[in-house]
Amino acid sequence: METVKGVVDGVKNVALTDNSKPKPAKEKKDKKDKKAGDASEDSRPLELNPLPAYIPHRIKIFETLKAQYDEDVAKKPRDKINITLDNDRMEIGTAWETTPAFVARQISNSLFERIVIARVNGELWDLDRPLESSCRLELLDFEHPEGKKVFWHSSAHVLGEAAERRFGGHLCIGPPVEDGFYYEMALPDGGNVATSDWKPLETIASKIIKEKQPFERLVLSKDDLLKMFESNKYKQHIIKDKIPDGTNTTVYRCGPLIDLCRGPHIPHTGRIKAFEIMKNSASYFLGDANNDSLQRIYGVSFPDKKQMEEHKKYLEEAARRDHRKIGKEQELFFFHELSPGSCFFLPHGQRIYNTLQGFLRSEYWKRGYDEVSTPNMYNSKLWETSGHWQHYKDDMFTFAIEKDQFGLKPMNCPGHCLMFKHRERSYRELPWRVADFGVLHRNEASGALSGLTRVRRFQQDDTHIFCTQEQITQEIGGLFDFLQHVYATFGFSFKLRLSTRPEKYLGDIQTWNVAEEKLREALDSFTAAGGSKWELNEGDGAFYGPKIDITISDALKREHQCATIQLDFQLPQKFKLEYMTAEGATQKATTETEAQVEAKETGVSADEITPGCARPVMIHRAIYGSFERFIAILTEHFAGKWPFWLSPRQILVIPVMPSANDYVMEVQKIFREREMYVDVDVSGNTLQKKIRTGQLQQYNFIFGESHHLCHVSRLLNLHADSFLAGTVVGAQEKETRTVNIRNRDDPSTQSKGDLIPLDEAIRKLLALKEERRLENAL
């Protein structure tokens, strides 16, 4: 069923329209009005009666084949087996009888009630599925990432059953996602799901949960699957396209629902204690705009009602921090329908962009990187050489020019290969660390576009390191140090995952094995030096090489993958890259050159390597990932309250009288000469309005006269933790060449600012900026 998983993963994030759950109304309606409103919204019966004919058809096939399966299992030998638990505790069981659920109950009933799923010899396993041989058994609860996925996957089946019972129609896929699950379906006569359907669906789901319907697993042949789902053209397509002839896969049943599914699942629907529908949207089958338009319903569920309440609070906080909301309020960026997926960065947003880029440029200088610039458009021959045309063409913007096919670059690596190859290279030049902030384009589906997190036009902090095999471990160690420094600057912690060879890959296995081993060595060295432990992510590498995926954790404890380190032996071979070795520099040819020895070790062919030369290894690396997505993450991480060094609005100077305007303008000039963002409000607005406007825009500091700000703060009834940092300047400040500073994040300065000499203020603010401190303190 891994092939079916691939279909699901490919369309998880593609949606066309979005009807999210509305916020609760502030005004209460009386019960009479509420009942009348509910009735007018939807007068249809709660459930179809009779149910669609395909439901009893599926059940008949399932029950017939399940009876045969049970007979086969009854004949299996009941050998004694050893079951090793996480703590190395050993239990004795019986093959084809003992289940993980039985083992859990033997330990304690509370453990059994808490666990969601088992893992047997590394494979996820239903709690009620009998163990077949001696094994290592792990018991996973909802808090485990795999447990949460299984719980939400099972909840998706509950939603699918509710949808069939209410609408009929045909189900497509129903996977778990980052914050819950969804089910995708085609309604009869091309119908749409309405918000008025949510409550009825939740009511049916509640019935399903109360019935404690067991999840039953059954292995079916491809022919039986086609017969079972003969009326569902979407399941037919998946079965025919993704399941090889002569093979088997699984279905799961709960109540009247039987679905094509690799599982596993929770024991029964009664494990779900809280279930809600969150939104619905339109989507395309398999994420392809040329296919049928479908309906997608999203939900979330938990094994405890308190967790649902906590989740709702989390959603409220996430909505408050939404980068799209803050981006609009702070005038950072916007999007336009005339260029979908391409961000317009406004002046204040570009300030953040430039500061992030400047931070990396300063690090590149310290760490020996060379910045380059490469073309945006290439002939398709480049992508054919790199392999992207065969593997990535559908995600590129391509077009014809003078009978040749061209494409906008979706990544920089092939261009950097051309740059390496344009002249002879020596071992003395390696490692060569190449940085490129070039514009990239990827043809994302319109339904997948989402603020800054999924765009079509973007820039990356893209670098490629060309090095020798002997330099790999040292270079990756240097990248780990780079990662730690950058992420610590923003207050992020991070995790490392090694992603290995995928199902479809370039090159030979020997080369992949060498590359993966090099990354393992680097990761083990990082851990041994005090770094965090790394995890294995089997089969999720890039098609051209294994990679280390780095995920950061933000203020809401959400994980985001930004950085990546990829080891590539393939592109240097495809582009025939080579450098003169130390051996080759002294003698042009030997019986067995260093290149040939290296080729034997890596499995890379040396037939086309010039005598005395060797292939470089290429390390792909990004830390931010795309600037756009990283800015979205930072916006939500800081909730729009930017640290001083990154802030697009650092200082606001407010004169309390026109006679102070000349001093205010002088203060602005002095700070701007030191490359700080200083704004002055000399408008005709009242002092109250000036401060209120500045507060909403989250200036770090406000300069001003203490008794005026104290009076205004009382008038505005502002909370200390939200009062804006800044400066108000009056006669006293002008005469003494001082500034009265209010700190956005320091409540003690709100009623009475710190009156300090102008020179001292300059020195302290410069230090705050240059040290890139997170705290907004002088």
Side-chain angles (χ1 to χ4, degrees):
M1 279 302 292
E2 292 301 319
T3 48
V4 177
K5 177 181 181 292
V7 175
V8 173
D9 290 344
V11 297
K12 273 184 182 178
N13 298 315
V14 181
L16 303 178
T17 59
D18 185 356
N19 294 325
S20 298
K21 175 160 280 189
K23 295 180 180 178
K26 293 182 179 179
E27 296 182 6
K28 295 183 179 179
K29 296 182 179 180
D30 61 55
K31 293 182 179 179
K32 185 175 180 180
D33 289 343
K34 188 176 186 296
K35 289 181 180 178
D38 288 345
S40 63
E41 284 179 2
D42 197 334
S43 58
R44 291 177 295 167
L46 182 65
E47 300 184 42
L48 296 174
N49 189 13
L51 291 173
Y54 60 75
I55 291 179
H57 168 78
R58 288 186 320 216
I59 292 174
K60 182 178 179 181
I61 294 175
F62 183 92
E63 290 180 343
T64 300
L65 297 176
K66 183 66 164 61
Q68 294 174 10
Y69 172 78
D70 291 342
E71 286 181 13
D72 292 339
V73 170
K75 297 174 184 177
K76 299 286 186 182
R78 294 323 198 243
D79 299 329
K80 294 298 180 183
I81 58 174
N82 296 324
I83 305 165
T84 306
L85 302 178
D86 262 352
N87 57 3
D88 289 331
R89 172 178 170 178
M90 184 79 72
E91 297 287 340
I92 304 299
T94 304
W96 298 99
E97 281 187 6
T98 302
T99 64
F102 177 82
V103 175
R105 284 194 188 97
Q106 291 295 101
I107 299 172
S108 73
N109 281 329
S110 62
L111 173 64
F112 168 69
E113 292 297 331
R114 190 174 72 252
I115 60 172
V116 171
I117 202 66
R119 190 154 56 188
V120 177
N121 293 333
E123 177 187 353
L124 290 178
W125 199 273
D126 299 284
L127 290 177
D128 289 328
R129 179 181 170 188
L131 301 171
E132 299 170 9
S133 60
S134 293
C135 62
R136 174 170 285 276
L137 175 64
E138 300 171 78
L139 302 172
L140 313 179
D141 62 14
F142 179 78
E143 296 307 319
H144 190 283
E146 294 292 349
K148 191 169 291 184
K149 286 180 184 177
V150 167
F151 191 90
W152 282 342
H153 187 190
S154 300
S155 302
H157 280 237
V158 171
L159 175 58
E161 180 184 337
E164 283 193 341
R165 288 166 61 169
R166 178 160 178 80
F167 303 121
H170 297 295
L171 300 179
C172 297
I173 58 173
V177 289
E178 184 177 348
D179 54 357
F181 53 89
Y182 71 75
Y183 226 117
E184 202 168 63
M185 63 203 71
L187 269 55
D189 303 319
N192 296 323
V193 175
T195 53
S196 58
D197 289 309
W198 295 2
K199 186 63 178 176
L201 287 169
E202 290 174 348
T203 301
I204 299 171
S206 180
K207 289 183 180 181
I208 295 167
I209 291 166
K210 287 179 181 177
E211 290 171 3
K212 296 185 177 180
Q213 297 174 358
F215 282 88
E216 299 177 88
R217 177 181 184 272
L218 185 61
V219 179
L220 269 65
S221 68
K222 183 173 183 178
D223 290 340
D224 286 332
L225 288 168
L226 290 170
K227 184 177 180 182
M228 176 176 278
F229 296 102
E230 63 184 13
S231 63
N232 187 325
K233 68 177 184 178
Y234 306 106
K235 301 290 185 185
Q236 289 272 318
H237 177 90
I238 294 171
I239 294 166
K240 291 176 181 178
D241 188 52
K242 298 297 179 181
I243 300 175
D245 292 339
T247 63
N248 300 323
T249 193
T250 54
V251 296
Y252 275 80
R253 176 183 180 180
C254 65
L257 175 71
I258 301 167
D259 201 7
L260 178 69
C261 176
R262 70 191 182 104
H265 285 284
I266 58 179
H268 58 78
T269 58
R271 287 293 189 94
I272 302 167
K273 304 302 181 184
F275 180 103
E276 284 197 24
I277 291 170
M278 306 306 292
K279 63 179 180 178
N280 68 274
S281 66
S283 61
Y284 293 119
F285 179 54
L286 302 181
D288 188 338
N290 296 314
N291 291 339
D292 291 356
S293 179
L294 304 172
Q295 296 295 295
R296 184 182 289 184
I297 306 173
Y298 292 83
V300 70
S301 63
F302 295 94
D304 188 301
K305 291 182 180 179
K306 290 181 181 178
Q307 289 172 302
M308 180 66 82
E309 295 305 313
E310 291 170 358
H311 181 69
K312 289 179 179 178
K313 291 178 182 177
Y314 159 81
L315 291 178
E316 290 176 4
E317 179 62 18
R320 186 181 74 83
R321 291 171 176 260
D322 192 317
H323 73 279
R324 293 165 293 190
K325 172 179 174 289
I326 293 172
K328 182 178 181 181
E329 292 171 350
Q330 296 188 3
E331 293 189 275
L332 303 178
F333 60 86
F334 71 93
F335 289 86
H336 197 282
E337 61 184 5
L338 294 182
S339 186
S342 300
C343 182
F344 290 78
F345 277 97
L346 295 165
H348 288 88
Q350 191 64 35
R351 288 177 178 182
I352 297 171
Y353 209 110
N354 291 344
T355 303
L356 289 172
Q357 199 171 81
F359 175 33
L360 285 185
R361 280 199 168 108
S362 68
E363 289 299 316
Y364 287 163
W365 179 257
K366 297 173 188 176
R367 297 171 187 268
Y369 284 79
D370 290 322
E371 187 176 343
V372 300
S373 180
T374 49
N376 285 81
M377 181 178 71
Y378 292 92
N379 190 293
S380 63
K381 292 176 182 177
L382 175 82
W383 309 111
E384 289 169 5
T385 300
S386 68
H388 289 94
W389 199 255
Q390 299 88 320
H391 293 266
Y392 207 79
K393 180 183 176 183
D394 292 343
D395 296 310
M396 295 173 59
F397 288 100
T398 61
F399 41 88
I401 298 179
E402 297 178 351
K403 298 182 180 180
D404 279 341
Q405 281 292 308
F406 280 77
L408 294 178
K409 65 177 178 182
M411 64 276 297
N412 289 306
C413 32
H416 289 176
C417 287
L418 293 184
M419 189 170 281
F420 185 94
K421 191 180 180 181
H422 93 283
R423 67 166 175 80
E424 290 184 355
R425 299 284 177 180
S426 167
Y427 72 96
R428 294 187 180 88
E429 298 178 70
L430 304 184
W432 188 38
R433 306 180 187 105
V434 187
D436 194 334
F437 293 118
V439 174
L440 306 175
H441 288 84
R442 294 182 184 173
N443 190 10
E444 299 283 357
S446 58
L449 300 177
S450 178
L452 291 175
T453 60
R454 187 68 73 89
V455 292
R456 288 175 173 164
R457 185 267 187 204
F458 60 97
Q459 289 174 257
Q460 288 184 319
D461 61 322
D462 207 5
T463 67
H464 296 95
I465 301 173
F466 297 90
C467 65
T468 68
Q469 276 203 74
E470 294 75 21
Q471 294 168 336
I472 291 174
T473 303
Q474 180 180 344
E475 286 302 305
I476 293 179
L479 293 178
F480 288 155
D481 179 73
F482 201 165
L483 285 170
Q484 284 183 307
H485 176 70
V486 171
Y487 287 154
T489 301
F490 297 106
F492 290 131
S493 59
F494 65 91
K495 296 179 182 177
L496 302 170
R497 294 184 178 91
L498 174 58
S499 297
T500 56
R501 186 179 66 252
E503 185 177 342
K504 295 181 179 179
Y505 62 92
L506 290 178
D508 59 86
I509 290 179
Q510 184 182 353
T511 303
W512 274 85
N513 290 341
V514 170
E516 289 175 7
E517 186 57 33
K518 289 287 184 181
L519 292 183
R520 287 176 192 272
E521 290 175 7
L523 286 164
D524 287 339
S525 297
F526 175 73
T527 300
S532 58
K533 291 184 178 179
W534 59 276
E535 301 173 7
L536 184 63
N537 187 18
E538 290 277 9
D540 201 36
F543 67 85
Y544 51 79
K547 59 179 180 172
I548 298 171
D549 291 321
I550 299 97
T551 56
I552 59 176
S553 180
D554 69 8
L556 293 182
K557 298 181 179 179
R558 299 173 298 187
E559 290 193 348
H560 308 273
Q561 185 189 326
C562 296
T564 184
I565 300 171
Q566 300 173 5
L567 194 56
D568 188 354
F569 288 93
Q570 308 297 334
L571 280 185
Q573 184 178 356
K574 286 179 171 294
F575 282 93
K576 298 181 174 61
L577 304 185
E578 57 185 38
Y579 63 91
M580 182 70 70
T581 65
E583 174 192 50
T586 57
Q587 54 186 47
K588 293 296 182 181
T590 64
T591 54
E592 184 173 63
T593 66
E594 181 182 321
Q596 291 167 329
V597 173
E598 184 173 309
K600 287 182 178 179
E601 293 174 354
T602 63
V604 176
S605 173
D607 293 344
E608 300 176 358
I609 300 178
T610 303
C613 293
R615 294 262 188 258
V617 178
M618 193 173 181
I619 302 174
H620 306 248
R621 186 242 69 186
I623 296 179
Y624 294 165
S626 79
F627 278 81
E628 285 73 9
R629 185 165 175 269
F630 197 65
I631 289 172
I633 293 169
L634 289 175
T635 304
E636 297 182 4
H637 179 61
F638 294 123
K641 300 179 79 169
W642 302 95
F644 184 76
W645 72 274
L646 190 57
S647 177
R649 294 179 174 88
Q650 294 172 328
I651 301 168
L652 177 63
V653 188
I654 302 176
V656 297
M657 59 190 70
S659 60
N661 284 0
D662 57 342
Y663 180 56
V664 164
M665 302 307 292
E666 181 186 355
V667 168
Q668 182 189 38
K669 180 181 178 182
I670 290 170
F671 278 94
R672 284 183 64 86
E673 285 174 349
R674 288 156 179 81
E675 298 185 353
M676 282 183 260
Y677 298 124
V678 183
D679 294 317
V680 172
D681 191 343
V682 292
S683 67
N685 293 328
T686 64
L687 187 58
Q688 294 172 339
K689 186 170 183 180
K690 290 178 181 180
I691 293 174
R692 180 60 177 165
T693 300
Q695 177 190 20
L696 295 175
Q697 293 174 331
Q698 296 294 347
Y699 281 88
N700 296 75
F701 296 96
I702 296 179
F703 295 173
E705 196 171 25
S706 60
H707 70 273
H708 284 91
L709 281 189
C710 181
H711 176 64
V712 171
S713 67
R714 286 196 299 270
L715 288 175
L716 292 175
N717 192 28
L718 299 176
H719 295 292
D721 62 352
S722 65
F723 191 78
L724 176 65
T727 304
V728 179
V729 174
Q732 180 185 3
E733 287 79 11
K734 179 178 179 179
E735 292 172 4
T736 59
R737 292 192 67 78
T738 57
V739 287
N740 193 291
I741 300 179
R742 267 81 178 171
N743 184 332
R744 180 193 64 196
D745 300 337
D746 184 357
S748 68
T749 67
Q750 303 311 321
S751 61
K752 181 181 179 181
D754 296 326
L755 190 64
I756 62 175
L758 181 60
D759 290 343
E760 184 180 344
I762 293 169
R763 178 176 55 80
K764 288 184 175 181
L765 287 168
L766 273 176
L768 182 61
K769 176 187 175 186
E770 291 171 359
E771 293 169 15
R772 298 190 179 93
R773 281 182 262 151
L774 286 174
E775 67 278 9
N776 202 55
L778 297 180

